[in-house]
Amino acid sequence: MSKPLEMTERTRIRRKANRGTYDRDVVHDILDDAYVCHVGFVANGTPVVIPTAYVRDGDELYLHGSNSNHMLRALADGGDASVAVTLIDGLVLARTAFHHSVNYRSVVMFGRGRRVDALDEKQRVLTLLLERMVVGRSRACRLPNEHELLSTLVIGFPIVEASAKIRSGPPLPEEGDDAQLPYWAGVIPLLTTRGAPVEAS
Amino acid sequence: MSKPLEMTERTRIRRKANRGTYDRDVVHDILDDAYVCHVGFVANGTPVVIPTAYVRDGDELYLHGSNSNHMLRALADGGDASVAVTLIDGLVLARTAFHHSVNYRSVVMFGRGRRVDALDEKQRVLTLLLERMVVGRSRACRLPNEHELLSTLVIGFPIVEASAKIRSGPPLPEEGDDAQLPYWAGVIPLLTTRGAPVEAS
């Protein structure tokens, strides 16, 4: 079992603490199950949220894009950031409107990115991204050449000040008269699957 | 055809402008296709990103939660925020690593929330949220009573300073020798579907 993440004031679970965890393996599993994160940073004094692809490796989340990418540059410049990843697993229907909910798994992180400059580390990160799409893909395409590596900005973001929050299972039981309401209650699962590949002409 | 959204410095599409649009109907369609948004705000001087459910009505996005919800309170207090919604439609595999991509539809918004206090407006918003889960659901459960409405914080967020970005279709064509590489290229669709409902015992 790996060492749990340390709670900080920023990652303290404020609401529904029973749904929260600092378990490193749980955090990593959620991160390994999604493709896109949302990065929050401050530009010209106002918050900005931008979605972007990522891959996890160990205790680091890697983002990448063009050298001129506004969000990546803000991170490369050492700006404070928050990164969230969310998976929606189901719609929770209860007998009362008040107990309707969503089943989800989410991770929220805080920290500062570091710019990855070493070409071999960049290559490794981009290889991991390919493997995350399809296992073996990094051996089934032409890998980046030096020019392409130099034109790609890669940012490592620490998975250190992080927490996960999970809601799963049926709606909360209703109390009193509400328990006798004649309405259906349960969960409608939301499933993400891969469809048949569409070959480019 | 509805009036397009006005571009501002914050919503100016900086990268891959051909993927961006200020078309109000396109923005609304993306918002109507997802369940969860990511809200970015500033707390104690640092950015925070939090996922939350929402529903759109007209030119407003509605968030809700407990009166003690940290993120909603930051919005109720008039803090600047950015809200993003992202749908992932497919993994784009090219003959070169460099041209791999993701098909997506996203909306990024900027603005300030307004606290919804009128109980009838709160009721309307919560009804819309139920209908977004399952059509007819607001007539198939007990609607919130006054106590529940008073313990729910509802925030309206303007869909005004907003833009959409969409990538769809096959990978970019490769150039020169890369076009002859003997690798598969195309799209693996990612599909979100509803599974069979699971009744609560």
Side-chain angles (χ1 to χ4, degrees):
Chain A
M1 216 180 102
S2 64
K3 195 164 167 262
L5 299 161
E6 250 178 78
M7 188 189 83
T8 69
E9 180 52 29
R10 290 198 292 195
T11 60
R12 184 170 59 81
I13 311 278
R14 296 151 186 272
R15 296 276 315 147
K16 302 190 175 165
N18 59 318
R19 297 184 185 171
T21 177
Y22 302 92
D23 184 308
R24 193 182 303 256
D25 296 332
V26 171
V27 166
H28 288 185
D29 283 351
I30 293 170
L31 295 177
D32 292 349
D33 221 11
Y35 297 100
V36 164
C37 62
H38 284 81
V39 180
F41 60 104
V42 176
N44 301 319
T46 64
V48 182
V49 178
I50 299 286
T52 192
Y54 71 88
V55 70
R56 181 188 72 85
D57 187 33
D59 289 316
E60 214 159 15
L61 199 77
Y62 288 101
L63 317 177
H64 77 293
S66 157
N67 281 332
S68 56
N69 183 298
H70 180 55
M71 177 268 290
L72 295 175
R73 286 173 69 136
L75 268 63
D77 289 345
D80 249 317
S82 176
V83 180
V85 168
T86 307
L87 295 154
I88 306 300
D89 294 326
L91 305 175
V92 181
L93 277 55
R95 291 185 173 85
T96 62
F98 196 67
H99 281 155
H100 279 63
S101 189
V102 174
N103 280 342
Y104 64 91
R105 290 166 288 151
S106 68
V107 169
V108 173
M109 292 165 274
F110 299 92
R112 291 176 181 204
R114 75 178 173 92
R115 185 190 165 110
V116 173
D117 281 316
L119 293 192
D120 57 346
E121 190 180 358
K122 280 187 171 184
Q123 189 74 275
R124 190 175 60 79
V125 168
L126 298 175
T127 298
L128 289 171
L129 274 155
L130 292 166
E131 292 292 316
R132 173 78 186 87
M133 293 174 95
V134 176
V135 174
R137 187 68 192 168
S138 68
R139 297 183 307 277
C141 66
R142 177 177 68 66
L143 291 179
N145 56 35
E146 188 174 345
H147 172 75
E148 289 166 341
L149 288 176
L150 289 172
S151 69
T152 303
L153 183 51
V154 175
I155 301 288
F157 191 86
I159 309 168
V160 173
E161 194 173 346
S163 63
K165 217 165 168 182
I166 296 174
R167 193 214 184 278
S168 62
L172 286 178
E174 306 288 356
E175 294 183 353
D177 291 348
D178 286 337
Q180 308 308 321
L181 289 168
Y183 303 123
W184 190 88
V187 174
I188 301 174
L190 293 177
L191 312 166
T192 301
T193 54
R194 293 184 172 207
V198 180
E199 189 162 10
S201 57
Chain B
M1 216 180 100
S2 64
K3 197 165 166 264
L5 300 161
E6 249 177 79
M7 187 190 84
T8 68
E9 181 52 30
R10 290 198 292 196
T11 60
R12 184 171 58 82
I13 311 279
R14 295 150 187 273
R15 296 276 314 148
K16 301 188 176 164
N18 59 318
R19 296 183 185 171
T21 176
Y22 303 92
D23 184 308
R24 191 181 304 255
D25 296 331
V26 170
V27 167
H28 288 186
D29 283 350
I30 293 170
L31 295 176
D32 292 349
D33 222 11
Y35 297 100
V36 164
C37 62
H38 283 81
V39 180
F41 60 105
V42 177
N44 300 318
T46 64
V48 182
V49 178
I50 299 287
T52 192
Y54 71 88
V55 69
R56 180 188 72 84
D57 187 34
D59 289 315
E60 215 160 11
L61 200 76
Y62 288 100
L63 317 177
H64 77 294
S66 155
N67 280 334
S68 55
N69 182 299
H70 180 56
M71 177 269 290
L72 294 175
R73 285 171 68 136
L75 267 63
D77 289 344
D80 250 318
S82 176
V83 179
V85 168
T86 307
L87 295 154
I88 307 300
D89 294 326
L91 305 175
V92 181
L93 277 55
R95 293 186 172 84
T96 62
F98 196 68
H99 281 154
H100 280 63
S101 188
V102 173
N103 280 341
Y104 64 91
R105 290 166 289 152
S106 67
V107 169
V108 173
M109 292 165 274
F110 299 92
R112 292 175 180 204
R114 75 178 173 92
R115 185 190 165 110
V116 174
D117 281 316
L119 294 191
D120 57 347
E121 190 179 359
K122 280 187 170 184
Q123 190 73 275
R124 190 175 60 80
V125 168
L126 298 174
T127 298
L128 288 172
L129 273 155
L130 292 165
E131 291 293 315
R132 173 79 186 87
M133 293 174 95
V134 176
V135 175
R137 187 68 193 168
S138 68
R139 296 182 307 277
C141 66
R142 177 177 68 66
L143 290 179
N145 56 35
E146 186 173 347
H147 172 74
E148 290 166 340
L149 288 176
L150 289 171
S151 69
T152 303
L153 183 51
V154 175
I155 301 288
F157 190 87
I159 310 168
V160 173
E161 194 173 348
S163 63
K165 217 165 168 182
I166 297 173
R167 195 218 182 276
S168 62
L172 286 179
E174 306 287 356
E175 294 183 355
D177 291 348
D178 286 337
Q180 308 308 321
L181 289 167
Y183 303 123
W184 190 88
V187 174
I188 301 174
L190 292 177
L191 312 166
T192 301
T193 55
R194 294 184 171 207
V198 180
E199 189 162 9
S201 56

